Amino acid sequence: MKHQDIIIPNAPAWRLRRARVPQSLLATAIPGAPPDQDGDCLLDLAIADGRVAEIVPAQASAAPAENDIDLEGRMVWPTLVDMHTHLDKGEVIPRVRANGTIREGSLKNGEDHARWTREDITRRMRFGLRCAYVQGVSAIRTHLDYRGPRAAESWEVFDAMREEWRGRIDLQAVGLAVMDLYSTPAGEAYAALIAEHGGVLGGVTDVLARDSASPGAVMDQWLDRFFELAGRHNLDVDFHADQTSDPSLFFLPNIARAVLRTGFSGRVVVGHCVNLALQTDEVAKRTLDLCVEARLAFVTLPTPMMYLQERQPGRTPRWRGVTLAHEIRAAGLPLAIAGDNCRDSWYAYGDHDMVDTFRQGVRIFQLDHPVAETPAMVGPIPASIIGVSGIGSLAVGAEARLILFRARNLNEVLSRPQSDRIVLDRGRRIEEPLPDYTELD
Ligand SMILES: [Zn+2]
């Protein structure tokens, strides 16, 4: 059966036959279905009542039953996890016009806050969630900007969205503020607000200038305060760390040491960490050893970082602006790839499409040859880091949230945009199209 002819049966039970699944997206190995030289397994999947009822080696000889769909070896993936987004600030172009530098990203985003009413945030968040859902994303962690006295409004809108999307997209939120805030009464109140809404405590380390007196010592004090607040409210934490190209503003070791010093027992995520790539090999190695000891989890956001870093008018950037993906993985640390900003002052593009983010991530980091293990970076690895279960890997008993590709292998996935993918939510095809940009006018 050709990909374009697939009709998902309106029946309680049916089968996808001869589905090719990357082994790195399977929750457990399937006996009798060893991976081929590309790391993929040829499988039959039984779907019953919206769940994956059975995963077995493809039965070449069995006669097809009435509701069988023969995929002829085309790829099936679980739907994916985007563990770092900014749904509250996205989809603001063209009302926001920035020049692509970090400085303007911050400035124009701050100015745009004045336009953020409940209705405005709701409309843009919903637009972003629809983009993600239609394209096969089932779990999202978004950061929410700290907006001073209006901080609660963002969380109330987020709570409403989490309810609206329950069952379709599993939503988490991180309260995003610069590190110095948490050493003030306002920061203390913000941590309490985040706890009230079941969120994650978020901190941005890029707040000190190079000429600050002993930036490391100041950061250490802020980190102690931050982890004390997180511990008090029983919150996990998620950092925007080291996004500058200034190697002297390098706080990843301070974060790891603070975790060890305070004995913090929650989950710690470090995002970005781009200036790790500007350290000497020796410093990088020592830092990653410390990160292993502190059990940090990493997320890289390569598309906005390549866009923002080292941007100067009339000058071609000389470095890629991204972190040490290979070295982080080689150290045995979990590393996820995520989408980050979409159509805002920090990043002018993006569509909450994790297949696209995966394709770009593989190319930017040269995570190929072999590429077999990399799909895990947008599925099981982020799911495990943010603690969502039943999403991002293919497992018996899990809800049938699947992406059916026309591509037969990872090379074909990486070579075309896959805009003809079929996405299933609990065994049903998602028929709605991508939202139209006119809806944001
Ligand atoms: Zn971010």
Side-chain angles (χ1 to χ4, degrees):
M1 183 185 292
K2 285 185 177 162
H3 181 72
Q4 60 267 35
D5 296 334
I6 290 175
I7 295 170
I8 302 300
N10 193 12
W14 49 280
R15 263 171 197 278
L16 290 169
R17 298 196 51 197
R18 292 200 287 168
R20 189 166 273 125
V21 181
Q23 192 179 36
S24 65
L25 293 175
L26 285 167
T28 54
I30 306 302
D36 61 21
Q37 60 178 2
D38 295 322
D40 305 323
C41 305
L42 199 61
L43 303 168
D44 287 351
L45 313 176
I47 312 296
D49 301 319
R51 290 185 180 270
V52 178
E54 191 182 37
I55 305 176
V56 295
Q59 312 286 312
S61 56
E66 186 192 348
N67 284 325
D68 282 5
I69 296 169
D70 185 357
L71 294 174
E72 299 171 359
R74 292 190 295 271
M75 291 219 121
V76 173
W77 288 23
T79 55
L80 304 174
V81 177
D82 194 349
M83 67 162 284
H84 183 131
T85 63
H86 293 268
L87 290 167
D88 58 342
K89 67 177 76 162
E91 311 295 349
V92 290
I93 289 177
R95 84 178 183 201
V96 169
R97 292 177 191 272
N99 65 7
T101 61
I102 291 178
R103 194 182 149 70
E104 278 225 345
S106 175
L107 192 74
K108 301 284 180 172
N109 178 62
E111 286 172 12
D112 195 50
H113 278 184
R115 304 187 188 99
W116 292 20
T117 61
R118 271 170 208 276
E119 296 68 34
D120 175 61
I121 306 171
T122 302
R123 181 170 62 241
R124 293 183 293 98
M125 268 196 184
R126 191 179 282 139
F127 188 95
L129 287 163
R130 284 166 64 201
C131 296
Y133 179 67
V134 167
Q135 298 183 103
V137 174
S138 295
I140 291 179
R141 172 180 279 190
T142 183
H143 294 254
L144 300 177
D145 278 12
Y146 173 69
R147 293 193 294 141
R150 294 176 69 193
E153 193 178 74
S154 293
W155 284 88
E156 285 156 20
V157 171
F158 172 77
D159 283 353
M161 284 293 106
R162 183 163 50 188
E163 261 331 287
E164 182 179 305
W165 285 83
R166 194 177 292 283
R168 291 179 292 169
I169 297 180
D170 197 298
L171 277 170
Q172 298 183 359
V174 182
L176 179 65
V178 285
M179 287 301 291
D180 56 348
L181 181 83
Y182 296 106
S183 294
T184 67
E188 200 153 306
Y190 191 45
L193 176 76
I194 291 168
E196 213 176 287
H197 291 269
V200 173
L201 197 67
V204 183
T205 67
D206 298 319
V207 51
L208 283 160
R210 181 211 292 267
D211 55 4
S212 306
S214 50
V218 175
M219 184 60 70
D220 285 344
Q221 282 178 17
W222 288 346
L223 283 164
D224 283 351
R225 186 75 187 125
F226 178 83
F227 282 112
E228 192 274 313
L229 277 176
R232 190 195 306 170
H233 294 289
N234 206 16
L235 298 171
D236 290 336
V237 304
D238 195 327
F239 288 94
H240 278 71
D242 301 342
Q243 288 182 85
T244 75
S245 55
D246 183 344
S248 72
L249 297 175
F250 177 54
F251 299 115
L252 182 57
N254 302 66
I255 293 172
R257 280 196 298 266
V259 171
L260 297 168
R261 181 168 65 241
T262 59
F264 181 71
S265 59
R267 295 165 191 259
V268 182
V269 174
V270 283
H272 294 294
C273 307
V274 302
N275 72 30
L276 177 62
L278 300 173
Q279 307 299 322
T280 63
D281 288 355
E282 195 199 325
V283 170
K285 166 83 173 66
R286 213 165 48 223
T287 301
L288 291 177
D289 287 347
L290 204 53
C291 293
V292 169
E293 209 186 324
R295 304 200 305 162
L296 304 189
F298 286 73
V299 59
T300 177
L301 306 309
T303 46
M305 284 300 103
M306 271 194 83
Y307 171 89
L308 285 167
Q309 296 293 337
E310 216 186 42
R311 183 187 285 261
Q312 292 171 45
R315 186 178 188 278
T316 307
R318 303 293 203 274
W319 77 298
R320 291 181 172 221
V322 293
T323 194
L324 296 184
H326 290 269
E327 290 78 357
I328 292 168
R329 277 156 55 96
L333 288 155
L335 173 66
I337 303 175
D340 212 357
N341 304 69
C342 268
R343 302 183 68 240
D344 62 22
S345 64
W346 294 97
Y347 184 57
Y349 315 112
D351 203 26
H352 298 283
D353 177 4
M354 281 304 292
V355 175
D356 177 59
T357 298
F358 167 75
R359 294 169 67 237
Q360 298 203 55
V362 167
R363 293 173 190 185
I364 291 167
F365 287 112
Q366 302 179 351
L367 289 169
D368 44 8
H369 318 306
V371 72
E373 293 303 313
T374 54
M377 299 171 81
V378 291
I381 292 173
S384 155
I385 292 174
I386 67 170
V388 295
S389 59
I391 294 173
S393 54
L394 208 58
V396 173
E399 290 176 323
R401 303 171 185 278
L402 305 172
I403 305 174
L404 278 51
F405 290 110
R406 184 166 156 202
R408 298 164 304 161
N409 51 50
L410 286 173
N411 178 276
E412 292 176 6
V413 169
L414 288 159
S415 298
R416 282 187 181 166
Q418 309 304 324
S419 40
D420 56 356
R421 79 195 78 158
I422 294 169
V423 180
L424 305 186
D425 177 5
R426 289 158 287 181
R428 298 284 179 128
R429 183 173 185 160
I430 297 174
E431 301 279 4
E432 68 178 272
L434 279 166
D436 199 279
Y437 289 124
T438 57
E439 295 178 32
L440 293 167
D441 291 349

